[in-house]
Amino acid sequence: MNVLSREQQITIIACLTEGQSIRATERLTGIHRDTIMRLGERVGRGCAELHDRIMVGIRTGRLELDEIWGYVGKKQKRVERHELAHKGDQYTFVALASSAKAIIAYRTGKRDSENTDLFVQDLRQRVSARTCLYFAPWQASKPSTVRRGLPISIATAAAMAQAVIVAVAIGI
């Protein structure tokens, strides 16, 4: 079994964090894409564990909540019924401490009430002080300046409503 040197690992992670694809990283480094993916998975798990240990008891004046769209395998309109759970549209819900630009909580998955609930529960456990919530489609300081034409799903509306409920529950 071959083991990547520390220098090779650093090169691979540097390529991936700069936005290069796995295949481009494979071409640049000469290391097989399966090895690159295993390293990426191992580093990702380590980052998640570090985030879970560090991001607790956060005191921030303002949280920005947003979601980022992506897809896995294929776009939603091409997904077959038996693939719905793990392919197609995926969303990453993000709670950002605006003053420190630190990601307080995140959750990636389908845009449904289950993932929304899990995201909000995670956020609730991490924040410990009064916080002003800011939802990405609106400007908090100017409620009258709503971006027109943004479709808001039931899950997004639920996330916003639940975040407000969480805010009230934890004394925000």
Side-chain angles (χ1 to χ4, degrees), residues 22-138:
I22 290 171
R23 288 184 186 267
T25 303
E26 178 183 28
R27 285 191 299 274
L28 283 170
T29 62
I31 298 167
H32 195 272
R33 63 186 167 275
D34 291 344
T35 305
I36 293 169
M37 290 174 64
R38 281 193 297 273
L39 176 64
E41 182 183 9
R42 197 170 73 233
V43 169
R45 263 192 260 110
C47 290
E49 289 174 17
L50 181 64
H51 184 266
D52 286 343
R53 284 198 313 261
I54 292 176
M55 291 297 173
V56 292
I58 303 298
R59 294 177 184 270
T60 182
R62 177 174 147 161
L63 281 175
E64 296 178 15
L65 305 180
D66 201 358
E67 63 186 19
I68 305 162
W69 172 84
Y71 66 92
V72 174
K74 51 181 119 174
K75 293 193 177 171
Q76 192 66 32
K77 67 181 179 181
R78 304 263 187 236
V79 175
E80 296 177 20
R81 179 166 270 185
H82 68 280
E83 301 172 317
L84 282 174
H86 59 280
K87 287 194 177 178
D89 290 352
Q90 301 288 330
Y91 291 83
T92 301
F93 299 97
V94 179
L96 183 76
S98 60
S99 59
K101 296 297 180 199
I103 296 174
I104 304 299
Y106 62 93
R107 173 88 184 167
T108 301
K110 291 291 185 182
R111 191 188 224 181
D112 57 16
S113 60
E114 178 185 356
N115 281 312
T116 303
D117 289 341
L118 292 171
F119 169 68
V120 170
Q121 288 171 13
D122 184 37
L123 179 60
R124 178 186 302 155
Q125 292 172 355
R126 294 177 188 278
V127 177
S128 67
R130 294 187 163 275
T131 303
C132 172
L133 295 174
Y134 172 75
F135 301 108
W138 291 279

